[in-house]
Amino acid sequence: MNVTDVYERLTKAGNVSGNGTIDLMKISKPINQAINILVIVILLITMISLGCKMEISKIKAHLIKPKGVAIALLAQFCIMPLTAFSLAKLLQMDPIKSVTVLICGCCPGGSLSNIFSLAMKGDMNLSIVMTSCSCIAALGLMPLLLYIFSQGFTGLENAVPYVGIITALTLTLLPCAVGIIINHYTPKYSSTVTNVGLSLLIIFSIIVSILSAQIVKDVIWMILTPDILLVAALMPMIGFTMGYVMSVVCRVSPQCSRTISMETGCQNIQLCTAILKVAFPMHVIGPMFLFPLLYIMFQCAEALLLAMCFRCYQRAKRPAEDTKIYMNVDGGKATVAAP
């Protein structure tokens, strides 16, 4: 029994819960098709913009000394998939929820990690290289990890859409390469492409949100369940925490540790959405294609909270450091009160 069979049994029963009935088979096909196209466009724009931030010389520098990148890849493709699998198992999620959470957990790092790394005063070059390397590695690792972890759930062994996932991953690499080419051969246009891409990204994201709300407005309650909310809240925080811990254990610099932390907890939500929306029929995935939206809300809130805590820590620590430096300069003879 695969995921489609499970979901069709639910829909044939008609009454999914006491709150009412749903019939996702009768959704508007033009609206659904429009969302599919826009989701792919958003993914393409995101990856072109990411490529425009990448410089071949900096990529080579990090590949020559790949310790930070290797640790980040290990954290990204071990911590997050294992976290997704463990939470789905502990909460005894049904097959639809389980496969959604697993796909999100096995996704590579997202472009938002670059913004949060900047807020955490991390290594921006490392952050961008890590994001791009995780996207490349995901082409082989994501299907492999999904195959391994799906064996732990009844009904998921043959239900993961590997062809759709590999297609979506390919869609991330090609535009990223286009962005790298633009930045390498015509760097003066890269900032323009990035700015235009950001504007289009915002516009298309708003349109997709409105159209998605139109489709699931009567069944939105299905995703606002305690288990889904708990997973969406815990996954990014576990990623941020364990990514930092792993970096400290491997003795990388604090700046790189903060970068790896952000890279681990931030998933490529655009890719996850594209896979869920395009690789699964709407009557199969149902409103669970909105899970990435829920995830990114918690992801951003938690990353911003960590950034605020880090900035407050820096402000509290700086006066003591300033006093220590001043005393060292004067041979330890002068005493100064911290401002």
Side-chain angles (χ1 to χ4, degrees):
M1 182 173 61
N2 58 30
V3 173
T4 305
D5 295 333
V6 172
Y7 199 82
E8 285 181 350
R9 287 189 178 188
L10 291 176
T11 53
K12 284 177 181 178
N15 228 349
V16 176
S17 78
N19 293 333
T21 62
I22 61 170
D23 190 0
L24 295 175
M25 297 289 289
K26 295 183 179 179
I27 62 171
S28 172
K29 288 186 178 180
I31 293 178
N32 189 42
Q33 190 172 12
I35 293 175
N36 290 347
I37 294 172
L38 288 174
V39 164
I40 293 174
V41 171
I42 288 172
L43 180 62
L44 295 177
I45 292 173
T46 300
M47 299 313 297
I48 290 175
S49 300
L50 174 63
C52 285
K53 296 178 183 177
M54 296 168 60
E55 296 180 21
I56 294 177
S57 59
K58 293 178 180 178
I59 294 174
K60 287 181 179 179
H62 278 289
L63 292 180
I64 292 172
K65 297 180 178 180
K67 182 178 179 180
V69 175
I71 295 169
L73 289 175
L74 184 63
Q76 181 72 55
F77 291 109
C78 287
I79 291 174
M80 296 309 291
L82 187 58
T83 299
F85 175 81
S86 300
L87 289 174
K89 270 293 186 183
L90 287 172
L91 297 173
Q92 297 182 343
M93 290 183 160
D94 63 49
I96 293 294
K97 292 180 179 179
S98 297
V99 75
T100 301
V101 172
L102 279 177
I103 287 173
C104 184
C106 292
C107 276
S111 55
L112 277 177
S113 61
N114 307 142
I115 298 173
F116 295 136
S117 294
L118 180 62
M120 295 286 285
K121 296 187 177 180
D123 187 333
M124 288 306 298
N125 292 330
L126 177 61
S127 178
I128 293 171
V129 172
M130 282 162 51
T131 303
S132 57
C133 286
S134 68
C135 289
I136 296 170
L139 190 60
L141 288 177
M142 190 175 177
L144 176 62
L145 289 168
L146 283 170
Y147 173 78
I148 293 172
F149 286 110
S150 65
Q151 304 305 307
F153 296 92
T154 303
L156 293 191
E157 299 89 345
N158 302 312
V160 179
Y162 296 105
V163 175
I165 289 171
I166 293 173
T167 302
L169 287 168
T170 305
L171 286 176
T172 68
L173 297 181
L174 293 179
C176 188
V178 170
I180 294 174
I181 292 170
I182 292 173
N183 193 37
H184 183 69
Y185 291 103
T186 55
K188 62 180 179 180
Y189 295 117
S190 60
S191 59
T192 302
V193 172
T194 302
N195 293 332
V196 172
L198 180 61
S199 301
L200 292 175
L201 192 62
I202 293 172
I203 293 171
F204 290 150
S205 296
I206 292 172
I207 295 173
V208 168
S209 299
I210 294 172
L211 293 177
S212 299
Q214 182 67 26
I215 286 180
V216 299
K217 61 182 179 181
D218 296 327
V219 293
I220 190 66
W221 52 268
M222 289 183 66
I223 197 174
L224 299 178
T225 55
D227 55 348
I228 290 296
L229 291 172
L230 190 60
V231 169
L234 288 179
M235 271 183 65
M237 185 54 72
I238 292 173
F240 293 140
T241 304
M242 294 305 297
Y244 188 83
V245 170
M246 181 180 286
S247 304
V248 172
V249 170
C250 294
R251 297 183 179 181
V252 300
S253 67
Q255 186 183 32
C256 289
S257 295
R258 295 192 297 271
T259 305
I260 293 172
S261 172
M262 292 297 104
E263 285 290 331
T264 305
C266 289
Q267 301 299 87
N268 192 326
I269 296 304
Q270 294 89 343
L271 173 62
C272 183
T273 304
I275 291 172
L276 293 176
K277 192 66 188 70
V278 178
F280 287 93
M282 188 61 187
H283 72 279
V284 172
I285 196 64
M288 283 304 297
F289 80 90
L290 292 177
F291 175 75
L293 177 62
L294 197 60
Y295 183 94
I296 199 173
M297 290 171 61
F298 282 101
Q299 173 183 280
C300 291
E302 291 167 7
L304 290 173
L305 178 61
L306 290 174
M308 289 174 60
C309 291
F310 170 71
R311 294 300 181 105
C312 290
Y313 168 76
Q314 276 200 320
R315 289 186 180 181
K317 187 179 179 182
R318 187 175 294 117
E321 289 180 342
D322 291 345
T323 302
K324 182 179 179 181
I325 293 170
Y326 183 84
M327 291 176 69
N328 287 338
V329 169
D330 286 280
K333 296 179 180 180
T335 55
V336 152

